[in-house]
Amino acid sequence: MAATITVVSEVANRRRSKRKDINKVGFMPWQFISAASLLTFGISVAFGLGFISTE
């Protein structure tokens, strides 16, 4: 799920940076969403592979 959110937010951030009308700004913090979901994905993978343990 986190990987999907990362991909979607990166696509949205790329679309926002290449917009034709510079005055049409959005309200979504796509860079923060991308960074947070990428961090979540990385931690999930680390738990799944056993690099991080809860014991």
Side-chain angles (χ1 to χ4, degrees):
M1 188 66 157
T4 304
I5 294 171
T6 302
V7 170
V8 169
S9 64
E10 281 298 320
V11 169
N13 192 28
R14 185 175 303 255
R15 285 186 63 208
R16 188 181 79 167
S17 68
K18 294 184 181 235
R19 65 186 180 266
K20 292 179 182 171
D21 188 3
I22 198 74
N23 291 326
K24 282 185 142 182
V25 295
F27 64 91
M28 295 299 289
W30 290 118
Q31 291 176 338
F32 174 74
I33 292 171
S34 179
S37 60
L38 188 60
L39 179 65
T40 304
F41 176 70
I43 290 172
S44 298
V45 168
F47 271 116
L49 294 176
F51 292 127
I52 300 174
S53 177
T54 57
E55 296 177 9

